[in-house]
Amino acid sequence: SHHAGLPADIPLPDLLALPRIEADARASRQHYVDLALAMPPVARPQTRFAYSNAGYVIAARMLELASGLSWEDLLRREVLGPLGLTSAGFGAPMGDQPRGHDAGTPIMQDNPAAMGPAGRLHLNLPDLLAYLGAHRDQTALLSRASWAQLHTPRFASNYALGWFVGNAGALWHNGSNTAWYAEAAVEPGSGLVMAHCSNDVALKDRLQALLPAIRRAAGVTE
């Protein structure tokens, strides 16, 4: 829930030195974790929201050590497979997919493989909406208690586990690897799930700018 006091990331030179493509990123992920945990905290635990990519990587490495499997294999087994998200993959989308853009210039790159748990997954829009629908419907993928854990804000903030939580339990999040941008929302009151994705970060500073238009197109009143 980004309340551990962890830094946002490891130092940029160390981050850029990590491999971008790896068959098995566990050793690089451990190196990332070692560097992150050697940094001074940015706050006392549970006192302040401080968004941290490092937190996701550390949590994933804990799962890897406990299970003996890579985070990627765990995600395939526990989430992608059960939900039938067959388009999902790791790293930048390949083939005939749009290229990411940096200052208007097409590029094909993603964050280092070690950072996979902090947002290195790609999938098509139908699969993204299916994933959001699972959150809305609280499917049998998880118990009701586990869904509640994911969706309940922590430490007097508006952030749960991976979601900003708004009125009537509405869920929202966005993300970017500096070359692509995505935004997703789940609104249990209306039953609406929605997302938009872009191969540029032009909307990064205009949060939720497109969501009202998506609501209107779906026939949902404000």
Side-chain angles (χ1 to χ4, degrees):
S1 66
H2 302 296
H3 282 80
L6 289 163
D9 227 318
I10 61 174
L12 186 60
D14 294 313
L15 183 65
L16 295 179
L18 293 171
R20 294 186 182 273
I21 299 176
E22 288 187 284
D24 187 337
R26 281 177 283 185
S28 293
R29 199 160 288 142
Q30 182 63 57
H31 180 58
Y32 180 111
V33 167
D34 292 341
L35 292 172
L37 292 179
M39 297 172 69
V42 300
R44 290 180 56 225
Q46 303 181 11
T47 62
R48 178 164 70 86
F49 174 87
Y51 198 93
S52 172
N53 289 325
Y56 287 118
V57 179
I58 291 170
R61 186 64 187 133
M62 292 165 66
L63 289 171
E64 289 178 336
L65 291 169
S67 69
L69 297 174
S70 70
W71 170 80
E72 290 83 357
D73 285 343
L74 281 168
L75 195 68
R76 292 185 186 101
R77 188 185 76 181
E78 301 293 335
V79 180
L80 305 179
L83 291 180
L85 308 181
T86 57
S87 72
F90 301 97
M94 306 297 287
D96 64 349
Q97 298 303 308
R99 299 294 187 262
H101 285 73
D102 182 6
T105 301
I107 58 175
M108 177 55 69
Q109 69 179 39
D110 204 341
N111 291 316
M115 282 188 67
R120 203 170 175 271
L121 183 76
H122 66 256
L123 69 172
N124 64 26
L125 275 170
D127 277 356
L128 177 54
L129 293 175
Y131 173 76
L132 299 177
H135 280 270
R136 176 196 62 199
D137 301 335
Q138 299 190 8
T139 66
L141 178 71
L142 298 174
S143 68
R144 290 284 174 170
S146 292
W147 284 117
Q149 286 280 344
L150 286 180
H151 299 161
T152 301
R154 306 303 172 91
F155 310 114
S157 75
N158 67 337
Y159 200 86
L161 299 183
W163 290 104
F164 291 98
V165 182
N167 295 333
L171 308 174
W172 174 86
H173 216 293
N174 69 331
S176 172
N177 66 352
T178 75
W180 282 264
Y181 177 78
E183 191 171 12
V186 180
E187 298 186 349
S190 66
L192 184 67
V193 298
M194 52 186 167
H196 65 83
C197 303
S198 169
N199 58 333
D200 206 333
V201 294
L203 290 172
K204 187 176 180 181
D205 296 323
R206 300 186 60 202
L207 302 182
Q208 304 192 39
L210 297 183
L211 299 190
I214 296 175
R215 287 190 193 94
R216 289 194 297 271
V220 175
T221 59
E222 295 292 334

